[in-house]
């Protein structure tokens, strides 16, 4: 069969039933991405005779004799296609995994299609950007700026890998060709709770191409937690690589390794498993009751109360809440619930492992290769020098890749077979086996004086950690941030992290604070209305102020320093913006209009130990090599790190060569989560860059005889008094003396500061259909010193977009047996371009942070106030309070229909 790909003709025979996506990737066109293999996301978009098609649902044979164009054929880094240039200069991407498909679609648009992007881009999904940056790119809006030497911080410089991203040449985890690669697929449990009686591998091993079948009897019997933290003791070691008991539908039962994906899948179908079904429990309240089915053994030292399926309990108080309620003039109590939410990063989990020169190498999609290495060394009894873990560019994370869930099986098979092994999740496996946001049910009880002063603040939080406890304890503790935002002499917090026979919950943007923020901020809104106070005024009267203790679950000392009123300023900015915003309803009858606000506080690093090490070296080519372990997956830390280094070294970002996320080539780094990629790793970069700068200046001062205080860095030179000394000469002179300009520095996540956020919405609600349309969105945050304005805006817009999905459309739905019924992007329904409004971003100038150069990480916290702000706006419009997410049209319609207090339009 004859194919023409990117202008080159060749003869090739695709496999029977092979789709165009896998065919093109087998030919080395790795810019064609896999996001869904169902025609839902558009990451695989290519041109067929100039028209965009989803190659994952296009049979390869249909391209015979036609011209196929991939992102690589559209342009190159040195000669960008106009649309690639526009995405580069906007910038129109964050992680960049969806970008090739976005560009291939957008490059075909007519002017009419550009004028109707909600329709024109309906087949392309982005989980990172919130779509505003993509709209700017399509319309040719330029946001990237050029930084002057030593002036990079505060400038919207482009990402170091920008040209590679927009041309499809940036390497993601699976973008490699390895000779002799084997493929691993997994047999998943059909039962929510069962004991494995026997597993027969015979038929599976008889499948041509199958090399191995692994069961629980074939793997190291070592307990561990899939969760990633520097201090592993904060997570329970309640998991095995493979187990003889399954505790949720989808749990790994066996792994099949074969020459091809197809052979491995057929081998999985032929593995015969006999189960003894056990009673299951899906509701955490029921799981804590006497006589409930027990998931874990009573002798597990990491489980607080195995009989009642309780991983962890928190019981803390400050003051006397009973006395506080006794003196209250108004008491409000309500119960609020939020469901599982999937990360839906377009790059699924995956790892490739191989043994080379006696060392295990693991190339993986992870937010922390350093800790993944520690866990793998533990599981397989390897010394640190026997193991390398590294990442290329990662296609989104949002906390979902703060786990070790693909690396272990790939490593096991590579060590056993001696061959390279690939384990790549399907989209369905992401939904059914990866770790979603914890479902939480919170009861909030508030007491206040008539003037709005809080007298009592009580929260009961029941968190469904699922079958295993990864992140279960830490997210429960994190919920205290929603309590510390308000002053109150009497506080009580009771938290329960509970095992159930459902998919294990994990880390997701907001990390245990998003759900409590929804509950507390909704309750504050309800309390304000009961007091006949403006909701913003009630917040002003009770928010913590600079110098006051941040009291949540205890009143003991901590390392958080809170020195300025960022939260009060955020509230003021949003109030003024909401007052001037237009809130006219859409055309037609039946629309109700309302507005809502909510706020949140977020600590700038996690309370558990977080550490990062950076190395800076001036090379003979006069380029500074910056080595830092932080992974880039769209959070923008790579760009910020380069900017910080360039700023301190008096040069431009183009003269910083970044080496990252490779345990062989970088120092230890806890990982890119909880905004620590900027706050902690950024400080390490700052200190290492300053150390190299000081060494260069000291050497130049000694060379010129000028006092060091009279010396400063220039671009490619050092200025000592009135002498301009070229760096090239200094480097050569230093080399001759055996001196290198290099330094390593570490930074830790302590002391910490706080970030404040306030979100406001104006919405229209249709009282017949229950449809919500967002008329206006505004978000204020105290960003402190902004390293890269375009990136800060992008992170906030992306966080707000994810928050809108969490609030309105996304729901991980289970059937009566605990199986997910909507394990695909089409039915799970993350937001599309048409669903997300443009958000006005308002920045509060502040400088109390301990982050590098006074900056604060912004990627995590912006999602937290979104859900309550929308829920408060919905109540304002309808007079009906909705306390359970998501706020789907069906739920809204039924409540409006049944409620007699509906406002008339």
């Amino acid at each position: 069969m004859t194919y023409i790909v990117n202008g080159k003709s060749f003869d090739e025979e695709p496999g029977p039933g092979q789709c165009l996506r896998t065919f093109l990737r087998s030919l080395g066109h790795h810019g064609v991405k896999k996001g869904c293999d169902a025609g839902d996301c558009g990451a695989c978009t290519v041109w067929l005779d100039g028209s965009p098609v989803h190659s994952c649902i296009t049979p390869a044979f249909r391209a015979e004799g036609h011209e196929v164009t991939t992102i690589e054929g559209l342009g190159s880094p040195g000669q960008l296609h106009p649309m690639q240039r526009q995405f580069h200069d906007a910038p129109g991407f964050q992680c960049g995994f969806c970008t090739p498909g976005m560009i291939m679609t957008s490059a075909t648009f007519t002017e009419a299609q550009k004028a109707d992007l909600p329709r024109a881009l309906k087949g392309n999904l982005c989980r990172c950007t919130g779509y505003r940056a993509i709209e700017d790119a399509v319309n040719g809006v330029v946001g990237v700026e050029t930084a002057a030497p030593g002036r990079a911080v505060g400038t919207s410089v482009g990402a170091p890998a920008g040209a590679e991203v927009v041309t499809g040449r940036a390497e993601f985890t699976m973008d490699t060709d390895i000779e002799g690669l084997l493929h691993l697929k997994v047999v998943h449990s059909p039962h929510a709770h069962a004991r494995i009686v026997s597993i027969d591998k015979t038929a599976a091993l008889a499948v041509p191409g199958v090399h191995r079948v692994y069961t629980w009897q074939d793997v190291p019997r070592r307990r561990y937690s899939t969760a990633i933290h520097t201090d592993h003791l904060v997570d329970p070691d309640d998991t095995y690589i493979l187990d003889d008991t399954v505790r949720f539908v989808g749990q790994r039962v066996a792994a099949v390794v074969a020459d091809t994906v197809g052979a491995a899948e057929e081998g999985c179908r032929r593995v015969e498993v006999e189960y003894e079904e056990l009673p299951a429990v899906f509701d955490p309240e029921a799981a804590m009751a006497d006589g409930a089915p027990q998931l874990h053994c009573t002798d597990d030292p990491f489980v607080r109360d195995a009989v009642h399926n309780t991983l962890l309990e928190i019981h803390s108080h400050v003051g006397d809440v009973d006395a506080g309620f006794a003196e209250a003039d108004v008491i409000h109590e309500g119960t609020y619930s939020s469901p599982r939410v999937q990360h839906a990063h377009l790059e699924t989990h995956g790892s490739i492992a191989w043994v080379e020169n006696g060392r295990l190498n693991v190339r993986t999609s992870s937010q922390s290769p350093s800790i993944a290495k520690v866990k793998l060394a533990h599981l397989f009894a390897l010394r640190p020098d026997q193991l390398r873990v590294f990442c290329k560019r990662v296609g989104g994370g949002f906390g979902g890749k703060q786990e070790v869930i693909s690396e272990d099986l790939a490593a096991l098979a590579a060590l056993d077979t001696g061959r390279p092994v690939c384990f790549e999740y399907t989209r369905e496996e992401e939904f059914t086996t990866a770790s979603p946001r914890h479902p939480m049910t919170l009861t909030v009880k508030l007491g206040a004086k008539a003037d709005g002063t809080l007298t009592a603040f009580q929260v009961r939080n029941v968190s469904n950690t699922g079958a295993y406890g990864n992140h279960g304890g830490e997210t429960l503790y994190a919920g205290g941030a929603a309590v510390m935002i308000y002053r109150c002499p009497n506080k009580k917090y009771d938290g329960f992290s509970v095992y159930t026979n459902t998919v294990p919950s994990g880390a997701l943007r907001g990390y245990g604070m998003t759900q409590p923020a929804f509950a507390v901020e909704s309750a504050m809104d309800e309390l304000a209305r009961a007091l006949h106070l403006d909701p913003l005024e009630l917040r002003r009267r009770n928010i913590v102020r600079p110098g006051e203790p941040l009291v949540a679950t205890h009143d003991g000392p901590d390392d958080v320093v809170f020195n300025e009123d960022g939260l009060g300023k955020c509230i003021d900015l949003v109030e003024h913006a909401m007052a001037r915003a237009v809130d006219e309803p859409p055309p037609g009858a039946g629309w109700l209009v309302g507005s809502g606000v909510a706020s949140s506080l977020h600590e700038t690093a996690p309370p558990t130990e977080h550490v990062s090490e950076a190395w800076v070296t001036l090379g003979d080519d006069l380029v500074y090599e910056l080595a830092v372990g932080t992974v880039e997956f769209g959070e923008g830390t790579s760009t910020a790190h380069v900017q910080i280094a360039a700023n301190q070294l008096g040069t431009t970002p183009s003269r910083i060569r970044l080496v990252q996320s490779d345990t062989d080539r970088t120092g230890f780094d806890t990982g890119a989560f909880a905004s620590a990629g900027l706050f902690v790793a950024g400080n390490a970069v700052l200190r290492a860059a300053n150390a190299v700068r000081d060494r260069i200046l000291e050497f130049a001062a000694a060379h010129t005889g000028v006092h060091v205080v009279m010396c400063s860095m220039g671009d490619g030179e050092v200025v000592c008094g009135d002498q301009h000394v070229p760096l090239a000469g200094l480097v050569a002179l230093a080399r001759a003396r055996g001196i290198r300009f290099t330094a390593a520095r570490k930074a830790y996540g302590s002391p910490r500061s706080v970030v404040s956020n306030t979100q406001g919405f104006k919405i229209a609600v249709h009282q017949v259909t229950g449809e919500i349309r967002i008329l206006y969105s505004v978000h204020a945050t105290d960003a402190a010193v902004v390293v890269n304005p375009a990136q800060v805006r992008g992170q906030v817009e992306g966080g707000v977009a994810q928050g809108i999905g969490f609030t309105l459309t996304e729901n991980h739905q289970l059937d009566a047996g605990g199986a997910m019924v909507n394990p695909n992007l089409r039915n799970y329904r993350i937001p599309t371009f048409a669903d997300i409004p443009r958000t006005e971003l308002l920045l509060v100038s502040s400088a109390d942070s301990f982050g590098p150069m006074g900056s604060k990480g912004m990627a995590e916290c912006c999602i937290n106030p979104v859900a309550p702000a929308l829920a408060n706006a919905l109540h304002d419009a309808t007079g009906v309070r909705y306390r359970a997410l998501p706020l789907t049209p069906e739920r809204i319609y039924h409540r409006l229909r049944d409620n007699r207090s509906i406002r008339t339009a």
Side-chain angles (χ1 to χ4, degrees):
M1 301 174 74
T2 301
Y3 290 86
I4 305 170
V5 179
N6 296 333
K8 296 181 180 179
S9 178
F10 59 93
D11 293 330
E12 188 74 27
E13 190 76 22
Q18 187 173 21
C19 72
L20 185 57
R21 182 191 71 80
T22 58
F23 180 59
L24 291 170
R25 286 184 62 84
S26 72
L27 299 173
H29 303 290
H30 295 141
V32 185
K33 304 301 185 189
K34 183 198 90 167
C36 64
D37 274 343
D40 295 333
C41 74
C44 67
T45 302
V46 300
W47 290 353
L48 199 58
D49 292 336
S51 297
V53 298
H54 289 180
S55 62
C56 69
I57 55 173
T58 302
F61 77 86
R62 291 190 183 276
E64 182 186 13
H66 297 274
E67 291 192 9
V68 177
T69 306
T70 72
I71 188 70
E72 294 95 338
L74 201 62
S76 64
Q79 190 172 0
L80 298 178
H81 180 278
M83 189 55 68
Q84 290 172 321
R85 171 60 63 188
Q86 289 172 212
F87 269 77
H88 178 276
D89 291 348
F93 62 90
Q94 285 182 23
C95 83
F97 196 80
C98 75
T99 305
M102 283 284 182
I103 291 174
M104 294 306 291
T105 298
S106 302
T108 65
F109 286 167
T110 63
E111 291 303 315
Q113 287 174 306
K114 290 181 181 180
D116 190 9
L117 289 180
R119 178 178 294 275
L121 281 174
K122 66 180 182 180
N124 290 80
L125 297 177
C126 175
R127 192 55 157 170
C128 296
T129 65
Y131 296 103
R132 190 275 318 157
I134 292 170
E135 180 181 13
D136 284 354
V138 173
N139 291 322
V141 177
V142 175
V144 168
E145 301 171 329
T146 300
R151 297 290 184 270
V153 169
T155 305
S156 295
V157 302
E164 286 71 29
V165 167
V166 300
T167 57
R169 288 162 172 81
E171 278 192 42
F172 291 82
T173 310
M174 296 297 158
D175 296 341
T176 185
D177 297 308
I178 299 178
E179 186 176 352
L181 184 67
L182 299 176
H183 297 270
L184 185 148
K185 301 301 291 184
V186 168
V187 177
H188 299 283
S189 169
H191 304 296
H193 199 191
R195 185 173 295 108
I196 296 174
V197 177
S198 65
I199 301 178
D200 189 345
K201 312 175 184 179
T202 308
L205 289 169
V207 174
V210 169
H211 292 261
R212 298 284 195 280
V213 177
Y214 301 109
T215 72
W216 68 274
Q217 295 173 308
D218 305 308
V219 302
R221 194 69 175 167
R222 289 189 175 93
R223 283 180 173 176
Y224 72 111
S225 172
T226 61
I228 281 176
H229 292 105
T230 300
D231 181 1
H232 70 93
L233 296 178
V234 302
D235 305 305
D237 288 341
D238 57 5
T239 305
Y240 292 104
I241 297 175
L242 294 170
D243 203 353
D244 60 346
T245 299
V246 292
R247 297 176 174 87
F248 68 96
V249 174
Q251 181 166 334
R252 306 187 310 200
V253 173
V256 177
V257 180
D259 290 327
T260 65
V261 172
E265 290 176 338
E266 180 60 24
C268 287
R269 285 188 285 269
R270 297 196 187 187
V271 173
E272 297 178 7
V273 186
E274 181 183 352
Y275 299 94
E276 176 193 348
E277 288 194 61
L278 302 172
V281 61
F282 308 115
D283 177 75
E285 293 284 3
M288 287 191 290
D290 291 338
Q294 184 177 317
L295 273 72
H296 292 275
C297 298
T298 55
D299 63 351
D300 190 334
F302 297 96
V303 180
R304 180 185 178 93
D305 184 355
V307 173
H308 295 96
N309 295 305
T310 306
L311 165 66
L312 177 72
E313 292 182 25
I314 301 172
H315 300 287
S316 63
H317 70 276
V318 177
D320 185 339
V321 292
D322 291 334
F325 286 122
E327 65 175 304
D329 295 315
V330 173
I331 295 175
H332 165 74
E333 184 171 5
T335 298
Y336 307 84
S337 62
S338 51
R340 285 178 187 81
V341 176
Q342 234 288 327
H343 309 78
H345 35 69
L346 290 191
E347 180 201 42
T348 61
H349 284 85
S351 299
I352 301 172
W354 67 94
V355 177
E356 184 176 356
N357 297 324
R359 300 181 74 225
L360 176 65
N361 294 263
V362 181
R363 171 177 172 142
T364 186
S365 179
S366 172
Q367 290 178 230
S368 177
S370 292
I371 298 181
K373 175 179 176 176
V374 172
K375 287 187 178 286
L376 292 174
H378 161 70
L379 287 173
F380 300 107
L382 298 173
R383 300 189 311 272
D385 63 307
Q386 294 176 302
L387 177 61
R388 173 199 182 198
V389 179
F390 69 101
C391 302
K392 292 296 186 177
R393 196 172 182 91
V394 174
F398 318 114
K401 294 171 181 174
Q402 195 185 335
E403 306 271 352
V404 174
I405 57 176
S406 65
E407 296 87 350
D408 53 349
L409 285 177
L412 168 78
L415 288 168
D416 179 44
T417 65
R419 299 259 306 266
V421 177
C422 172
F423 178 25
E424 182 179 17
Y425 273 42
T426 65
R427 179 55 59 186
E428 181 173 341
E429 286 173 323
E430 285 292 328
F431 280 112
T432 58
T433 69
S435 303
R437 188 188 298 282
H438 291 73
M440 290 185 182
T441 299
L442 294 101
T443 298
V444 181
K445 186 177 181 181
L446 302 173
K449 292 285 192 179
D451 65 358
T453 303
L454 290 175
T455 61
F457 195 149
Q458 183 171 334
V459 175
R460 181 179 188 269
N461 183 359
V462 178
S463 175
N464 187 342
T465 195
Y468 297 94
N470 44 305
H471 298 284
E474 290 297 278
T475 52
L476 192 67
Y477 275 108
V483 178
M484 74 182 182
I485 189 172
Y486 296 112
R487 296 191 315 273
C488 185
N490 307 298
K491 291 182 177 181
K492 186 179 182 187
Y493 183 85
D494 296 295
F496 305 84
S497 182
V498 186
Y499 286 114
T500 65
N501 292 112
T502 58
V503 60
S505 303
L508 206 164
R509 193 178 204 161
Y511 199 76
M513 291 177 281
T514 310
Q515 309 94 313
F518 167 63
V520 168
E521 290 298 289
S522 295
M524 285 292 288
D525 199 78
E526 295 192 67
L527 178 63
R529 295 178 188 279
L531 289 164
H532 305 290
L533 286 176
D534 178 84
L536 281 176
E537 182 58 30
L538 178 65
R539 287 173 171 81
R540 280 198 190 91
R541 295 182 186 184
N542 291 284
I543 57 173
V544 291
R545 296 293 181 178
E548 295 177 342
L550 294 169
V551 178
T553 58
H554 64 88
D555 60 355
D558 58 34
D559 62 347
V560 179
V561 180
F562 179 50
N563 289 330
E564 73 160 30
D565 188 19
L567 182 55
K569 293 176 181 177
C570 286
I571 291 173
D572 291 344
L573 286 175
V574 168
E575 182 180 41
H576 296 151
M578 295 282 281
R580 60 177 163 73
V582 177
D583 58 357
E584 292 185 9
W591 292 99
L592 307 173
V593 175
S595 60
V597 295
S599 296
S600 68
L601 281 183
H602 175 76
E603 295 159 345
T604 52
T608 50
E609 184 180 2
H610 205 107
V611 60
S612 181
E613 183 176 14
W615 307 336
V616 175
T617 301
L618 176 59
D620 293 340
D621 58 359
L622 304 185
V623 172
Y624 296 92
E625 182 172 281
L626 167 61
V628 61
T630 308
V631 178
E632 176 60 58
F633 52 93
E635 79 282 22
T637 53
S638 295
T639 313
H641 291 165
V642 166
Q643 287 180 259
I644 291 167
N647 206 83
Q648 300 309 101
L649 293 164
T651 188
T652 60
S654 62
R655 290 190 52 216
I656 306 293
R657 180 170 55 244
L658 184 64
V659 176
Q660 62 187 140
S661 54
D662 186 332
T663 60
D664 268 11
R665 302 181 64 193
T666 62
F668 184 89
D669 185 273
T670 296
F673 52 86
S675 293
L678 176 66
F679 189 80
V680 182
N683 262 329
V685 170
L686 177 72
R687 294 168 186 176
N690 284 345
V692 168
R693 176 200 63 196
D694 292 347
R695 290 186 182 185
I696 293 171
L697 294 179
E698 290 166 2
F699 186 85
H703 173 65
T704 60
V706 177
H707 196 283
V708 70
V709 299
M710 300 296 293
C711 299
S712 62
M713 298 295 296
D715 192 27
E717 65 178 10
V718 176
V719 180
C720 294
D722 58 0
Q723 300 180 56
H724 292 252
V725 185
L727 266 182
L730 287 176
V731 170
L733 184 60
R735 281 289 189 193
R737 299 179 183 178
I739 298 172
R740 295 179 65 210
F741 298 127
T742 184
R745 292 293 185 271
K746 294 179 181 179
Y748 300 85
S750 182
R752 298 175 292 154
S753 182
V754 295
V755 180
S756 304
N757 300 80
T758 299
Q759 173 70 43
F761 285 111
K762 288 182 177 290
I763 68 169
V765 187
H766 199 280
Q767 58 185 326
V768 175
T769 65
E771 176 189 359
I772 289 180
R773 292 192 188 178
I774 298 174
L775 307 176
Y776 177 64
S777 171
V778 60
H779 190 101
T781 183
D782 63 329
V785 174
V786 176
V787 175
N788 189 304
Q791 286 193 166
V792 166
R793 183 175 67 169
Q795 290 300 322
V796 170
E797 289 168 343
V800 171
Q802 282 191 326
I804 291 172
F806 167 57
T807 310
L808 300 184
T809 62
E810 299 179 41
N811 192 359
H812 193 285
Q813 300 179 49
L814 303 181
D815 66 16
M820 187 181 184
V821 299
N822 58 330
N824 53 68
L825 292 173
R826 184 168 305 182
N827 295 323
Y828 176 75
R829 188 78 170 77
I830 69 171
T832 67
F833 185 101
D835 299 314
I836 302 301
R838 292 178 76 95
T839 292
E840 182 178 359
L841 173 61
L842 306 173
L843 298 178
V844 172
S845 177
S846 62
D848 71 332
S849 173
F850 295 96
M853 306 179 73
S855 62
K856 298 180 181 181
M858 301 304 306
E860 180 92 14
C861 53
C862 44
I863 192 174
N864 293 331
V866 174
L870 271 172
N872 292 339
L874 179 59
H875 178 265
D876 186 54
T878 64
V880 178
R881 173 57 61 173
Y882 294 81
R883 295 176 178 165
L885 299 178
L887 305 175
T888 60
E890 295 84 357
R891 286 183 174 178
I892 295 170
Y893 164 74
H894 286 297
R895 289 285 307 283
L896 289 181
R897 181 193 63 185
D898 297 338
N899 195 282
R900 299 300 181 187
S901 63
I902 305 173
R903 295 182 182 179
T904 57

